[in-house]
Amino acid sequence: MTWYCVRTATRREKTAEASLRELGVQVYVPRETRWERLSPRKEREPKQAPLLAGYIFADLTDNQIHLANEAEGVSCIVSSNRSDGTRRPTPVKVAELYWLAYAESQGMFDWTYSEKPRKWAPKKGDEAKVTSGQYTGFIGQVLELRGRNRALLLVHLFGRPAKIERPISELQAA
């Protein structure tokens, strides 16, 4: 397997991919997922686009290199100058492509995923677990919310019901 980086015409990655596949060439196009808003009033939708705009990777034999250069949507195969003054297509290390494919499969290029967990907003009647402070580990029922940052819980201390007030930042859903 000898993989090469193929430069495509502007925004013609799909066309180049399809034309190379018609030639029987194995093609890899790393993709990223981003939010796209179709109009100001509509919700955002995830959209996939090439990670490396204008570039795709192709597994080419020596005979296919010339055919690939003539394929629709292909601008050229990335090449470098040799010491004898000729230009020769530069192979891409397979390990780098494996890393790209692995990173893509793990969602590293998915920009729609939010790193921040949504803040839990307790409601009256919810079960809540205390995550820090002197009552760590206690589970109780939310009796009422006091302002925006505190909650009154009904917990069982030594077998008896007791009311405790805790900051919402110290609570999580039970």
Side-chain angles (χ1 to χ4, degrees), residues 93-160:
K93 293 179 184 174
V94 176
E96 292 172 354
L97 291 179
Y98 283 147
W99 183 88
L100 269 175
Y102 175 75
E104 184 179 2
S105 72
Q106 296 300 308
M108 290 179 72
F109 309 127
D110 185 356
W111 310 115
T112 61
Y113 174 75
S114 174
E115 290 276 333
K116 289 184 183 177
R118 286 195 164 176
K119 187 176 177 182
W120 179 62
K123 294 184 270 314
K124 186 176 178 178
D126 285 353
E127 292 286 317
K129 180 178 181 179
V130 181
T131 58
S132 62
Q134 70 187 65
Y135 297 104
T136 301
F138 281 86
I139 297 175
Q141 182 180 17
V142 178
L143 295 177
E144 67 179 85
L145 298 174
R146 295 191 170 170
R148 296 176 66 189
N149 300 325
R150 299 187 71 77
L152 183 67
L153 298 175
L154 179 65
V155 296
H156 290 279
L157 292 172
F158 307 112
R160 294 183 176 200

Side-chain angles (χ1 to χ4, degrees), residues 5-173:
C5 184
V6 177
R7 175 81 172 119
T8 66
T10 306
R11 296 186 183 199
R12 302 279 310 266
E13 294 89 358
K14 286 183 182 179
T15 305
E17 179 184 6
S19 62
L20 288 172
R21 286 191 195 278
E22 285 179 14
L23 295 172
V25 175
Q26 187 177 355
V27 180
Y28 172 58
V29 183
R31 299 190 189 284
E32 66 180 349
T33 306
R34 292 195 174 271
W35 288 114
E36 181 179 84
R37 191 179 304 267
L38 300 176
S39 72
R41 292 191 176 104
K42 290 191 177 184
E43 297 251 346
R44 299 182 307 170
E45 294 180 356
K47 180 185 177 191
Q48 281 202 328
L51 178 66
L52 307 167
Y55 294 94
I56 62 175
F57 298 98
D59 182 14
L60 301 168
T61 63
D62 288 338
N63 297 335
Q64 292 173 325
I65 289 175
H66 298 294
L67 294 173
N69 265 325
E70 303 299 320
E72 184 180 355
V74 172
S75 178
C76 66
I77 296 174
V78 176
S79 54
S80 59
N81 290 331
R82 301 179 82 191
S83 59
D84 62 359
T86 61
R87 291 187 62 78
R88 179 89 177 132
T90 308
V92 175
K93 293 179 184 174
V94 176
E96 292 172 354
L97 291 179
Y98 283 147
W99 183 88
L100 269 175
Y102 175 75
E104 184 179 2
S105 72
Q106 296 300 308
M108 290 179 72
F109 309 127
D110 185 356
W111 310 115
T112 61
Y113 174 75
S114 174
E115 290 276 333
K116 289 184 183 177
R118 286 195 164 176
K119 187 176 177 182
W120 179 62
K123 294 184 270 314
K124 186 176 178 178
D126 285 353
E127 292 286 317
K129 180 178 181 179
V130 181
T131 58
S132 62
Q134 70 187 65
Y135 297 104
T136 301
F138 281 86
I139 297 175
Q141 182 180 17
V142 178
L143 295 177
E144 67 179 85
L145 298 174
R146 295 191 170 170
R148 296 176 66 189
N149 300 325
R150 299 187 71 77
L152 183 67
L153 298 175
L154 179 65
V155 296
H156 290 279
L157 292 172
F158 307 112
R160 294 183 176 200
K163 295 178 183 178
I164 62 170
E165 186 176 331
R166 303 302 311 154
I168 292 175
S169 62
E170 292 183 7
L171 302 177
Q172 72 178 23

